[in-house]
Each structure stands twice: as C-alpha cells, then as structure tokens.
Amino acid sequence: MPEEGMEDNKGREERPKWNNKAEYLLTCIGFAVGVGNVWRFPYLCQIYGGGAFLIPYLIALVFQGLPLLYLELAIGQRLRMGSIGVWNSISPYLGGVGVASMVVSFCVSLFYNTIVAWVLWYLFNSFQDPLPWSQCPLNHNNTGYVKECVESTPVNYFWYRQTLNITPNMETSGSLQWWLVVSLATAWSIIYICFIRGIETIGKAVYVTATFPYLVLTIFLVRALTLPGSSEGLIYLFTPDVSPLSNPQVWLDAATQIFFSLSVAFGGLISFSSYNSQKNNCERDAVLVGVINSATSIYASIPIFAILGFKAHTNYVTCLNGNILALTNEFDISDMNITVENYEQWFDSLNGTHPSRVSDLNLKTCDLQTFLDQSASGTGLAFIVFTEAVISMPGSQVWAVLFFIMLFSLGLSSMFGNLEGILTPLHDLKLVPKWMPNELFTAIICLVLFLMALIFCLGSGNYWLEIFNSYVGSVPFLIIAFFEIIAVAYIYGIGRFSDDLEFMTGHRPNIFWKVCWLVISPLMLFVVLVAYVAVQAQTHPTYAAWNPDYVNFPDTEVLPYPDWVFAICVLLSSVPVISIPLVAIYRLICCMSGRHSKGSLHNDPNPYANEGYVVES
Amino acid sequence: MEEGCMINSNFLGISLFMRCLRMLVRILVLLYLAGAPALAQTLCQPNASNGCRVRISIKTALGNQAYEWNENEMFLFRATMAFAMRRYYKTETYNVDNIIMCNQTLRVSFWFVVTSPENSTMLIPKADVEKAVRMSRHRINNAFLLTDRTLEFLGIHPTLAAPVNPDTPPWLIVFGVVIGAVFAGIIALLVSSLLQKRRKEKGMMEDGQDEEDRQMKGVENDNVLDGIYNRGFTDDDRFTKL
C-alpha cells in the first residue's frame, strides 16, 4: 500500500491543502446547500402533502444520497485528483465519466451564476425607498400607470419587464439588457476574487457564505412568527396528508430533489476531498454533510412558509377590504362599521334585504385557502412571491436586503463547487501551460464563462435558462451518477474499495454501505432515470411565456418549443454524457493497438495510481 | 285750535304710513328668510348637474384619533371650499354662504353646490369647481387631516404621485461601491501574490546549490518547481567529493 508521504515526493505539484477541517466541511456544506434548499424543497413539501413528504425524502436520502456522497468523498480523498484523473485511474475505459462531469459542471456554472446575477440586481435595488417593485411606474404623459403593470401586479412587472425585459416568445431574441450584463459581470468578479488563490481564498470565503444563510433564516424565522397569518402558513405546510404518497411522481420528485440537492456527480465534491489528507474519516464527513443539507432544507421551509402564510393573510384582508369598501359606499353605512370580523353578518343581512344591489357590486369571493394554495418555486418564489410579502412587512428594505444577501451567499458557495469541478480536472490533465500562473488561468476560465453566459442576458434569456435548468441539470447527472456507482462497485471492486476505506477511516464499511453500493443505489438510480425520462417523453415540452398581448394576460401563455430549440434541448442532454461511450471506445481502440505494438497489458495513462506499485521503505 | 288738529291729523297719517311700511318690511324679511333655504334647497340636489359629491372616511384615515363629523366640521368644509374658490378666481368675493350642502348621510357623504357671489341663484359650473378643488386639494386635505383617498370628491381622480427621478439610479450607486471593492481586492491579491513569488524566486536564486535538497524535501504551497523528481537520479558528487 503506497505510503502517504511518498505521494508528495513523486515530484508533481504539491497539492494544495485545506487549512483546517472546518474549512473543508463548510465548503462541502456550502456546495450542497444552495438556493434549491430554499426555493424548491418548501414547494415540494407544499404540493405533496406537507409533513408526509418527509417520508420519501428521508428514504431517498438514506438509500441514495448518503451512499453516493460517501463514495465521491472517498474516491476523491483516496486518489487525490479531480474528477477526470480519478475516473481515469479507476478504469481507463470509464474516463469519460470525468469528462462528462466537467462538461456538465461547465454548463451548470453558466446558468447558475446568471441566477446569482439576478439576485445581485435585486439586492442593488433593495437600497431605495420605496422599493421599486412596490408600485407601478407612471406612463409617458403622467396620466396614469403603465398598462402592463396595472393588468398584472407591480411585482410581476418589475420582474418580467424591468429586470428581464422578457420577449413574448423564444423566437424573438431581443437585445442584451445592459443592467443584467453589469450584474453578471459583478457576479463573475466576485467569484473570481474568491477563486484567486484556489482553496486558500475559498476556505476564507466559506466562513461567511456558508454560515450567513443560517443567521438570516433564523432572523426571518423570529420575524415571521410575529406576523399575522404565519401560523396558518405553518399549519398548512406541516399538516401531513399521506394520500399523495401513492402517486409515484412524489417518489420520483423526492429522489431527484435529494440527488440534485446534494450536488453529487458535479465533480466538485471529488475535487474538494482530493485536497484532504488521506487519513481523514470521510464516512463521518459524508453523513454530516448529507444530514446537514436535509436539515437545512427543513429548517428553511419554516420561515418561508410562515412568510407565505403572512402573504396569504394580507391578500385575504386586502380582498375583504375591497368588498367592505364597495358595500360601505353603496349603502352609505358609517365608516368602519363593517370590519373584517363582522363582514359575514353584514353581507348576509344586506344580501337578504337588497340582493339585486349587492349582486350588481360584483364582489370578489375571498377565501384564505385559495390564497394559501398559490404556490411557487424557483425564481417565482424568490422574485415574485417573496418580494410581494416583503413589501407588506414594516421595514421592507431591511428584509429585502437580508433575503437577497442570503440567496447570494447560498448561490456563491454552490458556485465554488461548480467552478472547482471545471478547474481541478483541467489542472490535473496538465492542460494548463507551465508559464501561465493559476490566477491567469482562473481569470481566463471566468471570462470565457461570462461571455458565454451573455445569452442569458438577452430578452429571451429566461427561457433559455429554463431549458438549461431542465435539460442539463437533470438527466446527465443521473446518468453520470449511475456510471459512477457501477464503476466503483463493480469495475473497481467493492473489495478493493473497502480496503481503501479501511486505510483512510480505520475500519471497513459496514454491511449497510456495501448493500447500498452494490444493489440499492444503482437500482434506485436506474429506476429514477428511466421514470424521469419516461415522464418527460410523454408530454410535448412547452414553456410559459410572458406575453402582454395575450388574451388571458396576466396568465402566462403556454407555447410549445420550436423544433430547433427542441433539437438544442436534446443536444444539451446528450452531449455531456456522450463522452462516456466515446472515451470507452477510444481507449478500447488504443488498447487493442497498444497490445499489438507494445505488448503491455495496462494502458493506464496515470502510472502513479497503479495499485500494484509498492514502495519498500 | 284748528291748526293743532290739522297738525295732529297729518302726524297720525305719517305714523300710520310708517307702521305699514315696517310691517311690510317685516313680512318681506320673513318671506325672504323662509324662502331662502327653500331656494337653496332647490339649487342643491343629489345628481344635480353642477353638484359635486363628497365622501369622507375619517375612521379609516385616523383610526383612534378620529374626530366626530358635526355642524362645525361642515362649517369648516364650507369655509375651505370658499377659500378654494377665492384662490382659483383670485377674488375675495366668495363667502361661506356661497357653498350650499345637502343630502348628508351617515357614511359620511354629501352633495354641495357653489353659487356665484353676484347672483345667488346662479351656480358655478361643475368643471370650474373641479379645477378649483384640484388646485387647492392639498390644502383642503390638510384642513381635515385626510388624504386624497379618504376625502373623495367623486369625479375628481386622486392626483398621482409625481415620479421621483433621482439623478443617478440608487442601484448604480450600490453597484459602483461593490464593484469598486471587488476590483480593489482583486488587484491587491494579485499584487501580493506577485510580490510573494518574486521574493521566493530571489530567495531561491541566492542558495542555488541547495536546489537538489529542495527538490528532495518537496515544495511549499505556492511555489511550483518544474521538473519531475527522478528517483533514479542521485547526486553522487556530494558523497564522493573529498
């Protein structure tokens, strides 16, 4: 078994090291805990029966999430390389898995940082009074409010028009929105400054970015619980309803949520753990990161739902007050005689005596449950629903600033992992020219990513981002993870892997881990992959377009993807993973020709990871 | 004797005439006083073409500090409207009597009309009244501690708040601060790592003989030494020198 010290003396660059264990753990936790914990998990809880959703979620965590996490951290720590080097070492034929990881990390970095740029834009705009999304702007001749804003809401108008300046459909590309370009440049500059010295600067940055969201969530929790209507929101969230559990879609969503939430198959976790010393208990790290990630999701959903309950309550009271005003004006009742509490009695008595006049008023039906049922996830939750709730809270600017800084920290720490999944394999492949300092190389990569991400700053950028999110950020990861587990469990061999784990942690993995790696996790991954593709293939893909000229505006218009866009979607799903079979075939050919010419059995391009080499000291 | 009687009879006639005149004046005054409100009532009617409807929501605006709407408040309203008319026409002829109100409800809502000071039967057209109200809206609101929405003149829309257009959008200021700090940090870090590298290179060139030792020891975190340590290479010279 090669000793630890000899690895450094092989004469390669000394691998950077974490300053202490806390930095490593915080980085992994920050990578795993992202914006999805805040805006995807509460939504899933809401639509899938509240507290009952925790059952499939925790099952998926234990049987799929934790084994994958442990596996990635272990192989990174053992082989001390980025994703490409690691998979080349394990089996040259599966080197394509590493390449696929890198390509997928590249694509995800593109659109993920655009979301961070949007968060920055909202953050910059939160420093004014009144908040720009709280009221409609006046039109050209100051005679009234802008028509599009009046028909929808000020919050919607600020998001779709003043932020995105969205085009009515995907064919219209629109132009570059300069304010988004500026925000995107800021986001990439901040990422660059954190990456300037590699994990030295990342390790410092995560002390803030990984811990600050918890502080803000606690502040919001305390604040939200004092708002009226928060208890209704919480009851609505946590009342378990086991009936949706019979729907297989729930299990599919739980498995995919755990999977994407833990950020496995990006290659970033492998890179982070490769900077560890080999004698590190990665089993404990894996369990810790997985449990903290899920606990954060659950903890985050409490203030989110308290605030959503407050928003529903506010909307309900506004709706009722509109009706009360109409009744008061029509029947000349003394001001404030009808209140929210006695509205029902007044309505019944007035409807009994003057039913025709009451019906002519066209009063709206105000139902608290309807308002609570209005759910949103993703950018809709953060930029539309939450911003609307923040307006009604006293001291709106403070809450808006806190919320967007929290989202920014969450996104930033996830971006560290995304970018690490690109940079480390490139370093390990020795694609960096010797004369180029690391700082310059990182700058070039950030610049390239920034320029490519400019397509998301076009008028139709949001539609493209949704495409990237759905097609790159889903199926390729499932495929990569499936091959990862197969490679380690069957090709590398569970016995050899257990030996490595014994070397690193001091004890062999127990039967639970072995069963998961051999049977349960690959099976679950395969089932989830097939089910996901089947569900996607059943419906012709459509997207929701914001079209002010639409008949049912402000509802979004549901349009099908044009054919050329659909072709791009298929390409996005398949090109990252096409490297897996391609590299396998290439190696096979090389190995055949290599056998003929050199007669060597192993065409291992990385001699230092040859397990048969033992140094007698 | 006869002159005294004639004087007496003349005197009697004059006093009778005076009495009749006074009675006539009294009757006329009574008629006028009785008739004036009736006249005013015919001028001010709900849905009259020149009448304006006002709706007041005191409790909504002031909550606990709401005052009661009574005759005094009505008087204040009439005085305020007279003020508004004076301001609009730039004359001093309008008075409280020119504002006539009717049809007050519990809501509180009522109708009012404005009569011309020259001719009390002639009403000022509604358009002019509206313009006068628009001109002095702010003063009228403040007299009652109300706003455009709680003191409604039906038919006159609340004035839209003028857009606040700062010279530089506030978000640009925040962006400028953030990007300035980030660039300053980038430059500082780049310069410091450059200086560190230069210092290490200088240090290495000074003891160049120990390069092989350095290679054997391994390298420090930031410094990258080129070349691959070849285990087969040994520096025999050091041992064989005598």
Side-chain angles (χ1 to χ4, degrees), chain A residues 240-258:
Chain A
D241 175 19
V242 286
S243 56
L245 289 188
S246 53
N247 177 8
Q249 180 74 24
V250 178
W251 296 86
L252 179 64
D253 275 338
T256 47
Q257 170 63 16
I258 264 294

Side-chain angles (χ1 to χ4, degrees), chain A residues 506-529:
Chain A
H507 58 269
R508 295 185 79 80
N510 58 34
I511 190 76
F512 165 73
W513 296 115
K514 287 198 185 142
V515 168
C516 279
W517 285 324
L518 282 171
V519 179
I520 301 184
S521 299
L523 195 62
M524 271 186 87
L525 270 176
F526 186 69
V527 168
V528 167
L529 175 62

Side-chain angles (χ1 to χ4, degrees), chain A residues 64-84:
Chain A
Q64 184 187 331
L66 288 180
L68 270 170
L69 196 55
Y70 188 12
L71 188 129
E72 284 215 350
L73 291 182
I75 58 175
Q77 191 175 295
R78 180 73 186 90
L79 297 170
R80 309 208 81 212
M81 274 182 289
S83 59
I84 293 189

Side-chain angles (χ1 to χ4, degrees), chain A residues 182 186 197 329 332-333 335, chain B residues 55 57 59-60 107 175 192:
Chain A
V182 153
T186 316
R197 289 210 193 136
N329 286 346
D332 279 325
I333 306 164
D335 190 26
Chain B
R55 199 148 60 196
S57 318
K59 286 207 196 108
T60 313
R107 168 64 183 81
F175 157 72
S192 78

Side-chain angles (χ1 to χ4, degrees), chain A residues 91-218:
Chain A
S91 161
Y93 298 109
L94 281 178
V97 174
V99 175
S101 269
M102 192 179 81
V103 172
V104 155
S105 279
F106 189 88
C107 294
V108 169
S109 301
L110 282 178
F111 75 81
Y112 204 89
N113 217 24
T114 311
I115 298 179
V116 174
W118 289 341
V119 171
L120 271 181
W121 161 256
Y122 267 80
L123 177 63
F124 294 157
N125 274 295
S126 303
F127 286 96
Q128 39 185 309
D129 178 38
L131 289 171
W133 55 82
S134 61
Q135 54 192 353
C136 281
L138 298 177
N139 59 17
H140 290 301
N141 36 14
N142 284 4
T143 54
Y145 297 116
V146 173
K147 177 163 163 277
E148 188 182 345
C149 185
V150 169
E151 284 173 8
S152 56
T153 61
V155 176
N156 274 326
Y157 180 75
F158 184 77
W159 169 236
Y160 285 111
R161 190 54 51 211
Q162 289 178 305
T163 304
L164 298 175
N165 200 9
I166 207 164
T167 53
N169 52 43
M170 274 196 87
E171 288 93 345
T172 340
S173 286
S175 56
L176 274 179
Q177 314 303 322
W178 66 270
W179 56 90
L180 286 182
V181 174
V182 153
S183 305
L184 191 65
T186 316
W188 278 111
S189 308
I190 296 180
I191 297 265
Y192 177 60
I193 195 179
C194 293
F195 257 88
I196 250 186
R197 289 210 193 136
I199 61 170
E200 197 185 313
T201 36
I202 292 177
K204 303 285 184 300
V206 286
Y207 279 120
V208 173
T209 60
T211 54
F212 189 70
Y214 292 97
L215 177 66
V216 173
L217 280 174
T218 312

Side-chain angles (χ1 to χ4, degrees), chain A residues 147-477:
Chain A
K147 177 163 163 277
E148 188 182 345
C149 185
V150 169
E151 284 173 8
S152 56
T153 61
V155 176
N156 274 326
Y157 180 75
F158 184 77
W159 169 236
Y160 285 111
R161 190 54 51 211
Q162 289 178 305
T163 304
L164 298 175
N165 200 9
I166 207 164
T167 53
N169 52 43
M170 274 196 87
E171 288 93 345
T172 340
S173 286
S175 56
L176 274 179
Q177 314 303 322
W178 66 270
W179 56 90
L180 286 182
V181 174
V182 153
S183 305
L184 191 65
T186 316
W188 278 111
S189 308
I190 296 180
I191 297 265
Y192 177 60
I193 195 179
C194 293
F195 257 88
I196 250 186
R197 289 210 193 136
I199 61 170
E200 197 185 313
T201 36
I202 292 177
K204 303 285 184 300
V206 286
Y207 279 120
V208 173
T209 60
T211 54
F212 189 70
Y214 292 97
L215 177 66
V216 173
L217 280 174
T218 312
I219 296 176
F220 265 106
L221 182 65
V222 171
R223 170 75 258 216
L225 289 177
T226 60
L227 291 171
S230 59
S231 46
E232 274 111 20
L234 285 176
I235 293 172
Y236 182 72
L237 167 71
F238 284 117
T239 314
D241 175 19
V242 286
S243 56
L245 289 188
S246 53
N247 177 8
Q249 180 74 24
V250 178
W251 296 86
L252 179 64
D253 275 338
T256 47
Q257 170 63 16
I258 264 294
F259 185 75
F260 301 134
S261 178
L262 283 174
S263 309
V264 290
F266 277 74
L269 285 170
I270 299 181
S271 304
F272 285 143
S273 62
S274 72
Y275 300 125
N276 270 336
S277 70
Q278 288 205 329
K279 295 276 194 187
N280 174 46
N281 189 352
C282 49
E283 179 182 8
R284 211 178 44 199
D285 297 340
V287 173
L288 201 62
V289 170
V291 166
I292 289 182
N293 179 52
S294 295
T296 308
S297 290
I298 298 173
Y299 184 60
S301 53
I302 303 179
I304 296 283
F305 265 90
I307 292 181
L308 288 184
F310 161 71
K311 176 180 171 293
H313 178 87
T314 312
N315 286 353
Y316 172 67
V317 167
T318 310
C319 176
L320 268 188
N321 277 338
N323 286 356
I324 289 174
L325 191 65
L327 281 177
T328 311
N329 286 346
E330 171 69 18
F331 292 99
D332 279 325
I333 306 164
S334 183
D335 190 26
M336 297 286 267
N337 259 9
I338 312 182
T339 61
V340 174
E341 287 84 23
N342 58 23
Y343 171 76
E344 286 296 326
Q345 291 115 290
W346 270 102
F347 180 73
D348 291 333
S349 74
L350 286 173
N351 207 14
T353 47
H354 309 274
S356 56
R357 284 170 75 183
V358 169
S359 64
D360 282 341
L361 286 175
N362 288 332
L363 298 176
K364 292 188 263 194
T365 41
C366 299
D367 180 24
L368 185 60
Q369 199 61 30
T370 326
F371 289 115
L372 279 173
D373 281 335
Q374 287 168 354
S375 56
S377 77
T379 52
L381 176 71
F383 300 125
I384 299 180
V385 171
F386 211 83
T387 44
E388 195 179 325
V390 152
I391 303 172
S392 324
M393 293 161 73
S396 320
Q397 282 78 11
V398 171
W399 305 113
V401 166
L402 274 180
F403 179 65
F404 289 118
I405 291 187
M406 175 185 81
L407 283 186
F408 177 67
S409 309
L410 288 169
L412 194 68
S413 53
S414 295
M415 273 304 294
F416 291 157
N418 288 337
L419 204 57
E420 192 65 29
I422 306 173
L423 289 175
T424 313
L426 287 177
H427 276 295
D428 292 336
L429 275 184
K430 306 244 183 278
L431 285 177
V432 188
K434 293 272 191 281
W435 51 268
M436 195 186 280
N438 281 346
E439 290 89 347
L440 185 59
F441 180 64
T442 313
I444 291 177
I445 296 285
C446 285
L447 188 66
V448 166
L449 283 165
F450 166 68
L451 290 174
M452 287 182 70
L454 286 178
I455 56 166
F456 299 120
C457 297
L458 293 171
S460 53
N462 190 35
Y463 302 133
W464 285 107
L465 196 135
E466 289 296 316
I467 286 185
F468 267 72
N469 194 15
S470 316
Y471 290 96
V472 173
S474 59
V475 171
F477 284 121

